[in-house]
Amino acid sequence: MTAPIDLRSDTVTRPTPAMRAAMAAAPVGDDQYGEDPTTNRLQSRLAELLGKEAAIWLPTGTMANQVALRVLTRPGDEVIAARESHAAWHEAGGGAANAGVQIHEIGQQGRFTAQQMLDAIKPRNFAIFPATTLVEVENTHNRAGGVVVPQDEVLRICTAAREHGLASFLDGARLWNASVASGRAPAELAAPFDLVAVAFSKGLGAPGGSLLAGSKSMIQSAHRHRQRLGGAMRQNGIYAAAALHGLDHHLQRLGEDHANARTFAERLVAGAPVALDLATVQTNIIVFHLPPALAIDAPTLAARARERGVLLNAFASRTLRAVTHLDVTPAQCAQAAQALVALLGG
Ligand SMILES: *Cc1c(COP(=O)(O)O)cnc(C)c1O
């Protein structure tokens, strides 16, 4: 059987031969001593690219988010985030376990307005309430289908947050996709926020790694929290070289992933009675639902698709997610959609 078309996530990509060569050739040192030249090069390049004073490597996006919470909050605080954000759904309760915060999910479809945020801030005048100290924005928003958060709303949210004494954090694991889709530079998308996380292990195709960028004092604090969580590495330049290679060679091509997602989504809605709002297909993620009229549920559809060589994730009992990336071609994306249409009786 030929290799499956793997649309479970953009994290399934394997480093290309050129990326592996860059990794093998990378100058390295001990990053806990601040002596890994390739990691240092990546951190200063990213600080500049994101328009921040400083940056720090983290082994995963989850740890970047956890460190951000610890830098910007205290135990017992409340964090406002979009409904179904990664911080609330995909970090095994880390916000509560590692930072001692509770997450208040608001809005819908990955978005909320500044007014909704203001309405969610707990009153400051009575000790029964938790202190709302942080707002987090996920851009693009994964579970909402990779939607790009409109930048005018981001500006209103972060301005209102500052006026009300809240810090602001951007979970930009897919900020590169948001940048390519919106035509806005990463620094522009990052500018309104105190602290920003980006990932190298998704659209850029690196085998691992994320990074936090912000003020010098916040990044200094992040160093201690990274150490405490056990995330300080040694000859990390091997990973950092993959990230640099991804930035040089795989950033501008993300538009191809977005076009492939569009093709997949259009073929799927044309051929099968799924609930899929094409307006949500703005980047490389397609989240769709199986209406009650369809007898099949999401885990069964995912299992049948797997038998036909197409891998995708059942996100909920009637919700599925497909993600396009570096390792799938336009033809494979079209073929995957046709396989689903056939399974759904189209
Ligand atoms: C994948 C993801 C993360 C976490 O990244 P890992 O490297 O898998 O830990 C954080 N936030 C968002 C929005 C993500 O999609």
Side-chain angles (χ1 to χ4, degrees), residues 43-63:
Q43 288 171 169
S44 31
R45 176 164 167 192
L46 266 283
E48 192 179 326
L49 184 63
L50 295 169
K52 303 295 183 196
E53 279 176 5
I56 179 177
W57 166 274
L58 278 310
T60 66
T62 300
M63 196 187 285

Side-chain angles (χ1 to χ4, degrees), residues 21 34 42-43 58 87 124-125 132 155-156 162 181 194 330 335:
L42 177 70
Q43 288 171 169
L58 278 310
R124 290 273 161 82
N125 58 357
T132 311
L155 285 169
R156 283 193 291 270
R162 206 149 283 138
D194 295 318
Q335 193 188 327

Side-chain angles (χ1 to χ4, degrees), residues 271-316:
V274 298
L276 167 53
D277 180 359
L278 286 175
T280 66
V281 187
Q282 299 169 9
T283 57
N284 67 326
I285 300 178
I286 307 101
V287 170
F288 62 97
H289 311 278
L290 304 175
L294 283 169
I296 197 166
D297 65 7
T300 310
L301 181 60
R304 299 243 171 97
R306 179 179 277 270
E307 286 163 12
R308 299 199 177 195
V310 175
L311 309 188
L312 69 172
N313 271 339
F315 244 25

